[in-house]
Amino acid sequence: MTPTQPSRWLRRRTFMLGLGIAALVAGVLRSNETDTPPAPAPVLDSTPMRAEVRAAAVLPSRTEHARRPTAASRVPAPIIDAVTVEKREVCSGEDNLISVRAHSPDGDDTHLHATIGAGSGMRVPLRVWRMADGTYELPTVTVFGKDNIATQVRVPRYTVKDCEPERQVDIFSRRAPNTEEEFEFLARILERPRAGGAPTPFAPVRFVWTFDDRHTVTTSAPRVTHSLRPDPLRPAALYSQHLVKVEAFDASGRKVAGRSSLQLLDTTFENFAKKGIVTVLAVGSPRFPVEDAQGVVRQTFQLSHRWKRPVRLERVTALRSLVPEAEAPPLPEDTAEVSLGVDLLPVGQDVEVPVTLDTRAEASVTHVTYLLEGTTEDGHPARGTFSIMRPPPRPTRENSTPVLDPVLLAKVKRARELLGQPFVTDEDLWRLEREGRFSDLKVQREGP
């Protein structure tokens, strides 16, 4: 063998080895591409509906995903079955209820949720405005499944005419303080400005609220509080869907209506899906702690859960948080096992548990937190917590700053009269402000 032969042999061997590795990599990539099936196109539900338009949602050039399934996750993208448009044509800015029906190919629909334009929910009252040149654009429907794998389609075409409603109703909502399921809703009537003068006056005297097409409440003020507790008869899901409608009537019977959608995360479902823990819920009554003449705070907590089997409480731990002295580090919590007099939490029923905090006998305690630990009948861990707190000290001349602004002072006086309370909070003022209870106040500020 000549001296050049080993060198040629090594180069040929290296070249062949490189070709083999390249072929192997190409085969793996090809396998991954063929193993991931394309997401199916949405199927039109052609079942006729009264006074509604059922239209096939037109897909873009390919199905789009907010997050694409990987080979490791194998989470299928949801399939949009139908997008329903309530009206064939609307005025510019008039709401049009868009409803989405979808499913997951693996049969697990518990994670499905959606956005329609800027709104969230499977039913959203959509508002679309015409541009100055007469054009308008319909937004996108995005349906999310497990791990937020999503499918997108366009809202089916409908006509937005060159007209505007004389007035509209906007519904604002927020979760009530110190609660999980109570929500406050506020209706605000918006008048469309007219070039030729002021719009026809509309003074509502009655508001009819409808929740999820079932529960109806009538109020004289544009505000209502309602519980959006998930329906126990419906299967548990990551999100609960709600549609709220309000109809405002004036003294002559004229009516204007508005709608709003809410898509609420169910933390109890999320806790079990991600951690395998059944959540024990606790709702206090009264909602905020009140100290009686003897310095004792008394609250009753309603314990419940949303699991399909009863929960047995096995241990309750009370953690007393102590007030540290000035410029001293926080004191360790005082921990002790206690009994609430309850061992079993049945399915679909609330169990009342009264607790007290003697603020004079325990002057150094700011609040007591109760940690609940138990097990369901089918072996899942159950956890929950609630706290009873020392209320803030009552306002006095020594610990308070006097109100000097004449407008704010007038609002405080009006709030005390309306609520029949010796003291009012910022929350009381904000709520009455939203209800328009101060709109007739005419106070001049002093100064230049």
Side-chain angles (χ1 to χ4, degrees), residues 336-417:
E337 287 194 26
V338 298
S339 173
L340 296 177
V342 174
D343 296 325
L344 191 68
L345 303 179
V347 177
Q349 297 182 25
D350 295 344
V351 177
E352 293 188 349
V353 174
V355 293
T356 60
L357 173 60
D358 192 332
T359 63
R360 297 178 184 175
E362 300 185 276
S364 61
V365 176
T366 60
H367 59 278
V368 181
T369 300
Y370 294 87
L371 305 180
L372 313 178
E373 301 176 72
T375 308
T376 67
E377 277 193 353
D378 46 353
H380 299 288
R383 302 289 184 269
T385 181
F386 65 89
S387 298
I388 182 171
M389 307 179 67
R390 175 192 297 269
R394 290 178 176 270
T396 63
R397 293 183 180 274
E398 291 73 26
N399 66 9
S400 304
T401 302
V403 176
L404 302 178
D405 183 88
V407 176
L408 180 57
L409 185 60
K411 291 181 179 180
V412 170
K413 290 180 178 179
R414 171 69 65 83
R416 290 173 61 183
E417 295 172 359

Side-chain angles (χ1 to χ4, degrees), residues 181-194:
E181 299 163 344
E182 294 288 328
F183 281 77
E184 296 178 352
F185 298 91
L186 174 70
R188 180 170 295 172
I189 299 176
L190 305 177
E191 304 278 358
R192 179 170 64 89
R194 287 189 174 187

Side-chain angles (χ1 to χ4, degrees), residues 406 444-448:
Q444 295 293 332
R445 281 190 170 92
E446 298 179 358

Side-chain angles (χ1 to χ4, degrees), residues 199-220:
T200 306
F202 185 85
V205 297
R206 180 167 56 98
F207 298 84
V208 179
W209 303 82
T210 304
F211 299 92
D212 300 326
D213 304 326
R214 297 192 305 274
H215 309 290
T216 301
V217 180
T218 301
T219 63
S220 57

Side-chain angles (χ1 to χ4, degrees), residues 136-277:
Y136 55 90
E137 183 178 359
L138 298 178
T140 300
V141 176
T142 305
V143 177
F144 299 86
K146 193 173 183 179
D147 292 345
N148 278 338
I149 305 300
T151 302
Q152 290 184 328
V153 298
R154 283 284 182 183
V155 170
R157 295 293 303 177
Y158 62 88
T159 302
V160 179
K161 301 183 295 182
D162 187 15
C163 57
E164 292 185 22
E166 184 179 9
R167 58 183 56 88
Q168 294 176 322
V169 181
D170 281 348
I171 300 177
F172 300 89
S173 61
R174 68 163 189 167
R175 197 184 304 270
N178 242 17
T179 182
E180 287 292 327
E181 299 163 344
E182 294 288 328
F183 281 77
E184 296 178 352
F185 298 91
L186 174 70
R188 180 170 295 172
I189 299 176
L190 305 177
E191 304 278 358
R192 179 170 64 89
R194 287 189 174 187
T200 306
F202 185 85
V205 297
R206 180 167 56 98
F207 298 84
V208 179
W209 303 82
T210 304
F211 299 92
D212 300 326
D213 304 326
R214 297 192 305 274
H215 309 290
T216 301
V217 180
T218 301
T219 63
S220 57
R223 174 183 173 274
V224 70
T225 300
H226 186 76
S227 174
L228 294 183
R229 190 171 191 173
D231 189 345
L233 299 179
R234 293 185 178 180
L238 183 61
Y239 287 88
S240 60
Q241 308 290 334
H242 304 277
L243 184 67
V244 181
K245 178 182 179 182
V246 64
E247 296 175 311
F249 297 86
D250 69 0
S252 65
R254 290 186 302 168
K255 178 181 73 172
V256 61
R259 294 177 290 192
S260 178
S261 60
L262 289 90
Q263 186 170 244
L264 304 178
L265 175 67
D266 186 347
T267 55
T268 64
F269 182 95
E270 186 181 40
N271 286 342
F272 187 80
K274 293 185 176 181
K275 305 174 185 177
I277 296 176

Side-chain angles (χ1 to χ4, degrees), residues 427-438:
E427 178 67 30
D428 296 327
L429 297 179
W430 293 332
R431 176 167 55 84
L432 295 175
E433 184 83 59
R434 291 193 299 269
E435 294 178 3
R437 301 297 186 93
F438 304 139

